[in-house]
């Protein structure tokens, strides 16, 4: 468990030294990915995964994506096995592709989108600050919660509380973990209160602008959408194979 | 003017009052320190001043708090934020951003301050606190001391008329302590009201205008520190105030209140040659050994620990010191096997430790966040998980006079009380190695005495105790002190040797008694014995008589 939590933390942590992306580009790409994920087209899943791996490489998030792959491994193996038993190879392919696209896509998004910049961009779009802060807090809290959970797990491990069959200790770990999440959210609310969040329209200490790299990604994703529509409409995929 | 009138606070879960009829007034430009034992109501008072009680924590509250004749009940949030700045006791729970610079500017952005002004405040405060290097660092990657300084920066970037700090120097080293206290003093002189709730009063009390002492929720004294410092003797006395307190030298700090001529005239004739010599102890068996250990969190990051070679012996108590972020906590995690070493080896009693999951359990660790350690609903239930004998548990708590609190829910205890229970429980796990990360945070004198007693008992049993702490009140009482700087071991030896060479070899400064002796030596040309604490100084004074 500690192994997974550590990797979730590594895989979902924002990396300020990496190539950055305009937050609105990042969030729209995540939505597009979700749109494609709900489609039941097998070739789209393969193409989507290739795209996301390509993006992770371009944006130098290889470490993050490898971390997520490791974290997913203990889920992939039993899930793959069960799906094979109940649904066969095609279902295994569909389930695992979705898992990988989701995991790697989010790792990419979390690693290169600055949570505070996301709030700033949404605020620029006239979205109320209280709503604009929500995705940013989610981006910030997920790696932090993973770290808290890992610390809790490690301390319990050293205390000798984690031994034997996992169902014996897991409820205990989860109870402590949930309590710590509730407390953290309580403290976060207090922090927003005494730091004056939401009392007036905020200023931004730096500007976020579109750069060439954002336009390049916009082009790639637009091409992907156009290709999909063309392929789907005229059955070009079958024509190529 | 801040006015607190007949303030009474009672938590619904407790029978006694957290604060009872608290009255005080404070003027802009004052620097006030509030002291008191753990559970005396310090944090409650801080939270009432910040209006977190009753807005976030349920409590029956009566009386009034007002600023410039406007009651806090009538304050809008805008008023509140523009009037009060707050540095909480556990900053890690209160972060709102991932990057240091964004955490600092968050408040300024919320107050709609102009971007250029924000940037200049940001750079200025980073420089003042010496944390410019942290600007682009990620908050989860900071050490607790670094994070405390970041939070201070966020409160100081926008300097409201009143600044409230809950244990601002609990995690920082003595050198930063001096810098920070000077900064707070300057702020007060520039026209801010600074109220610090603190246990470590060695330096801060010397610079304060007033010392308010809380006892069981009541103010028992509110005067200039030179007038009421002796009242702290049973709670949190500043180090130097304990020097010959019977003769009332009233030594508060190195700079002021020192009657050094009288002291020198007394000690110069003392036969000091036999006093406080280094003891030659017989070395016991090696318990833990680290051979050429190098550690970093990933292949691209900098080395956190560099070529560490250490041997810890059975029955030894060791202190790890170093400026914030130097690698103390990481070294502890490496010793425990929580962090896998990249190069080198860690051995426990002749068995190589690769990973805590694979190792046989032989250590116990209390992290800095004591909340993580205790898992029972109450301290007594937590210890019963380990000992399974109610009578034995009762006996342990009675010995430390903690019976009154032992059945209280963990989340209803104060931070100091919770930490003390975590420490007591950890020493009864019957493990060979006991590792404690910043164990003195929020502890009062009683807590520290209990901790030293626990360490002594564990040592007598042959256990090895390792503490990561910069708190001079504890490290001077240990067998050995290791100073880490930028991942290297700079000094390693008995505290008497290490502390007297500290300034020469590291960026740290020693505790006040050592600095005091060094100052006396410089002034008089005398060669004085290497005294570590006021207790030893009093032995010297007695010898002189």
């Amino acid at each position: 468990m500690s192994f997974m939590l550590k990797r979730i933390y590594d895989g979902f942590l924002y990396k300020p030294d990496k190539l950055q992306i305009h937050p609105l580009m990042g969030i729209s790409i995540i939505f597009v990915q979700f749109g494609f994920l709900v489609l039941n087209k097998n070739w789209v899943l393969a193409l989507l995964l290739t795209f996301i791996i390509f993006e992770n490489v371009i944006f130098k998030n290889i470490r993050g994506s490898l971390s997520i792959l490791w974290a997913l491994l203990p889920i992939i193996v039993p899930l793959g096995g069960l799906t094979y038993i109940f649904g066969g190879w095609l279902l295994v392919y569909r389930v695992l592709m979705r898992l990988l696209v989701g995991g790697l896509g989010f790792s990419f998004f979390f690693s290169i989108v600055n949570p505070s910049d996301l709030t700033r961009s949404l605020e620029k779009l006239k979205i109320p600050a209280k709503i604009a802060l929500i995705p940013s807090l989610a981006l910030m809290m997920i790696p932090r919660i993973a770290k808290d959970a890992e610390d809790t797990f490690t301390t319990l491990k050293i205390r000798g509380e984690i031994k034997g069959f996992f169902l014996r200790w897991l409820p205990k770990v989860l109870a402590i973990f949930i309590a710590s999440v509730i407390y953290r959210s309580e403290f976060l609310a207090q922090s927003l209160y005494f730091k004056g969040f939401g009392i007036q329209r905020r200023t931004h200490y730096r500007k976020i602008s579109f750069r060439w790299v954002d336009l390049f990604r916009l082009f790639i994703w637009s091409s992907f959408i156009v290709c999909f529509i063309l392929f789907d409409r005229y059955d070009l995929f079958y024509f190529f194979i | 003017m801040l006015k607190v009138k007949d303030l009474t606070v009672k938590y619904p879960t407790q029978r006694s009052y957290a604060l009872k009829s608290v009255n005080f007034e404070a003027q802009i430009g004052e620097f006030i320190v509030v002291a008191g034992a753990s559970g005396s109501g310090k944090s409650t008072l801080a939270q009432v001043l910040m209006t977190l009680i009753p807005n976030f924590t349920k409590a029956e509250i009566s009386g009034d708090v007002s600023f410039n004749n406007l009651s806090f009940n009538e304050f809008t949030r805008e008023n509140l934020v523009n009037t009060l700045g707050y540095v909480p006791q556990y900053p890690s729970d209160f972060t709102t951003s991932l990057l240091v610079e964004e955490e600092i500017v968050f408040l300024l952005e919320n107050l709609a301050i102009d971007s250029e002004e924000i940037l200049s405040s940001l750079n200025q405060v980073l420089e003042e606190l010496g944390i410019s290097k942290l600007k682009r660092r990620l908050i989860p990657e900071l050490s607790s001391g670094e994070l405390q300084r970041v939070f201070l920066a966020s409160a100081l970037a926008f300097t409201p008329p009143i600044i409230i700090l809950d244990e601002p120097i609990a995690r920082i080293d003595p050198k930063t302590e001096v810098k920070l206290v000077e900064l707070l003093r300057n702020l007060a002189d520039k026209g801010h009201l600074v109220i610090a709730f603190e246990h470590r009063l060695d330096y801060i009390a010397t610079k304060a205008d007033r010392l308010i002492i809380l006892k069981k929720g009541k103010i028992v004294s509110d005067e200039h520190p030179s007038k009421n410092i002796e009242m702290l003797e049973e709670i949190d006395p500043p180090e130097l105030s304990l020097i010959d307190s019977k003769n009332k030298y009233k030594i508060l700090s190195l700079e002021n209140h020192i009657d050094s001529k009288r002291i020198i005239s007394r000690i110069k004739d003392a036969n000091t040659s036999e006093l406080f010599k280094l003891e030659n102890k017989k070395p016991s068996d090696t318990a833990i050994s680290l051979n050429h250990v190098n550690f970093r969190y990933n292949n691209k990051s900098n080395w956190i620990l560099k070529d560490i070679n250490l041997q810890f012996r059975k029955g030894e108590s060791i202190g790890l010191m170093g400026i914030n972020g130097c690698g103390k906590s990481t070294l502890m995690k490496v010793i425990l096997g929580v962090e896998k070493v990249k190069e080198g080896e860690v051995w426990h009693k002749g068995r190589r430790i690769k990973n805590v999951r694979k190792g046989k359990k032989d250590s116990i660790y209390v992290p800095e966040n004591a909340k993580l350690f205790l898992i029972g609903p109450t301290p007594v239930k937590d210890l019963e998980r380990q000992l399974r004998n109610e009578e034995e548990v009762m006996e342990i708590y009675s010995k430390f006079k903690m019976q009154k609190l032992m059945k209280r829910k963990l989340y209803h205890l104060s931070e100091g009380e919770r930490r003390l229970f975590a420490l007591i429980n950890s020493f009864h796990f019957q493990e060979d190695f006991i590792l404690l990360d910043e164990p003195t945070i929020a502890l009062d004198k009683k807590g520290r005495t209990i901790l030293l007693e626990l360490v002594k008992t564990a040592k007598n049993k042959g256990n090895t105790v390792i503490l990561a702490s910069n708190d001079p009140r504890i490290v001077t009482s240990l067998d050995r002190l290791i100073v880490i700087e930028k991942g290297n071991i700079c000094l390693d030896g008995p505290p008497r040797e290490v502390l007297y060479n500290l300034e020469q070899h590291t960026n740290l400064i020693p505790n006040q008694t050592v600095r005091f002796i060094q100052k006396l030596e410089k002034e008089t040309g005398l060669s004085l014995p290497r005294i570590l604490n006021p207790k030893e100084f009093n032995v010297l004074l007695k010898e002189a008589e």
Side-chain angles (χ1 to χ4, degrees), chain A residues 9 144 159 191 195 203 205, chain B residues 94-95 101 103 113 141:
Chain A
Y9 171 74
R144 299 217 61 181
R159 259 190 76 138
S191 190
K195 285 186 174 178
T203 47
Y205 85 109
Chain B
F94 290 87
T95 52
E101 59 172 306
E103 184 64 43
I113 291 170
E141 314 271 286

Side-chain angles (χ1 to χ4, degrees), chain B residues 299-315:
Chain B
N299 291 338
K300 283 188 178 171
S301 65
N302 295 330
W303 290 102
I304 311 284
L305 300 173
K306 297 168 199 163
D307 198 27
I308 304 285
N309 287 292
L310 286 170
Q311 262 85 42
F312 301 114
R313 302 193 175 276
K314 281 182 185 170

Side-chain angles (χ1 to χ4, degrees), chain A residues 9 14 114 116 120 140 144 158-159 161 176 183 187 191-193 195 197 202-203 205-206, chain B residues 51 55 77 93-96 101-103 107 109-110 113 138 141 361 373 375 382 385 411:
Chain A
Y9 171 74
Y14 168 62
N114 180 343
S116 305
R120 289 186 192 106
M140 190 196 82
R144 299 217 61 181
I158 296 167
R159 259 190 76 138
E161 296 285 343
I176 296 170
Y183 269 84
F187 289 132
S191 190
L192 294 175
Y193 172 80
K195 285 186 174 178
F197 179 74
R202 282 154 41 92
T203 47
Y205 85 109
R206 60 189 171 90
Chain B
T51 71
N55 281 330
R77 263 189 73 213
D93 290 334
F94 290 87
T95 52
T96 49
E101 59 172 306
E102 275 163 0
E103 184 64 43
L107 172 68
E109 286 185 328
N110 291 338
I113 291 170
L138 286 164
E141 314 271 286
K361 208 175 104 56
F373 182 82
I375 57 170
D382 185 74
R385 299 173 72 86
Y411 285 101

Side-chain angles (χ1 to χ4, degrees), chain B residues 299-499:
Chain B
N299 291 338
K300 283 188 178 171
S301 65
N302 295 330
W303 290 102
I304 311 284
L305 300 173
K306 297 168 199 163
D307 198 27
I308 304 285
N309 287 292
L310 286 170
Q311 262 85 42
F312 301 114
R313 302 193 175 276
K314 281 182 185 170
E316 196 177 30
S317 60
I318 305 113
L320 302 177
M321 273 180 82
I323 52 168
N324 305 130
C326 68
K328 299 190 292 286
S329 301
T330 308
L331 178 60
M332 285 199 141
K333 286 178 182 168
V334 163
I335 293 170
L336 285 161
V338 172
E339 297 293 353
K340 212 172 162 185
V341 292
K342 306 289 174 200
E343 289 166 20
E345 295 163 353
V346 181
W347 296 76
H348 285 198
K349 292 191 293 182
R351 188 168 46 85
R352 190 171 169 190
I353 299 295
K354 285 185 179 169
N355 193 315
V356 71
R357 294 188 306 153
K358 290 168 191 161
K360 190 180 156 234
K361 208 175 104 56
D362 54 13
S363 333
I364 191 75
Y365 169 64
V366 182
E368 196 197 309
N369 185 355
K371 272 182 280 195
L372 293 179
F373 182 82
L374 296 165
I375 57 170
T378 59
V380 74
K381 290 275 174 210
D382 185 74
L383 191 54
E384 271 174 19
R385 299 173 72 86
Q386 207 58 36
L387 298 179
R388 307 202 184 275
N389 181 346
E390 211 174 314
E391 275 177 25
E392 204 181 332
V393 172
M394 296 292 173
E395 204 180 302
I396 289 166
Y397 288 141
S398 316
K399 188 179 152 194
F400 298 116
K401 294 178 184 160
M402 299 289 284
Q403 334 67 307
K404 274 188 186 172
L405 298 170
M406 67 185 186
K407 287 187 178 166
R408 203 177 271 185
K409 290 262 186 322
L410 289 175
Y411 285 101
H412 296 155
L413 294 171
S414 76
E415 285 298 332
E417 290 162 348
R418 206 179 298 157
R419 181 171 300 279
L420 191 53
F421 275 115
L423 292 170
I424 294 173
N425 292 6
S426 68
F427 275 86
H428 292 91
F429 268 62
Q430 318 293 339
E431 301 295 355
D432 296 336
F433 313 126
I434 300 151
L435 291 94
L436 313 170
D437 200 354
E438 299 286 0
T440 58
I441 293 174
L443 283 195
D444 55 9
K445 190 185 172 188
K446 181 192 167 195
R448 291 192 301 275
T449 313
I450 292 176
L451 173 62
L452 285 176
E453 209 177 314
L454 289 165
V455 171
K456 201 177 161 188
T457 316
K459 273 173 54 185
N460 290 340
K461 281 185 198 165
N463 298 336
T464 309
V465 187
I466 305 173
L467 297 92
S469 175
N470 282 320
D471 192 335
R473 298 166 301 185
I474 285 292
V475 293
T476 51
S477 308
L478 304 175
D479 296 332
R480 185 175 159 198
L481 212 49
I482 296 170
V483 184
I484 307 169
E485 206 162 80
K486 291 176 186 167
N488 292 302
I489 305 289
C490 276
L491 288 167
D492 179 2
R496 216 174 288 286
E497 208 168 88
V498 169
L499 290 171

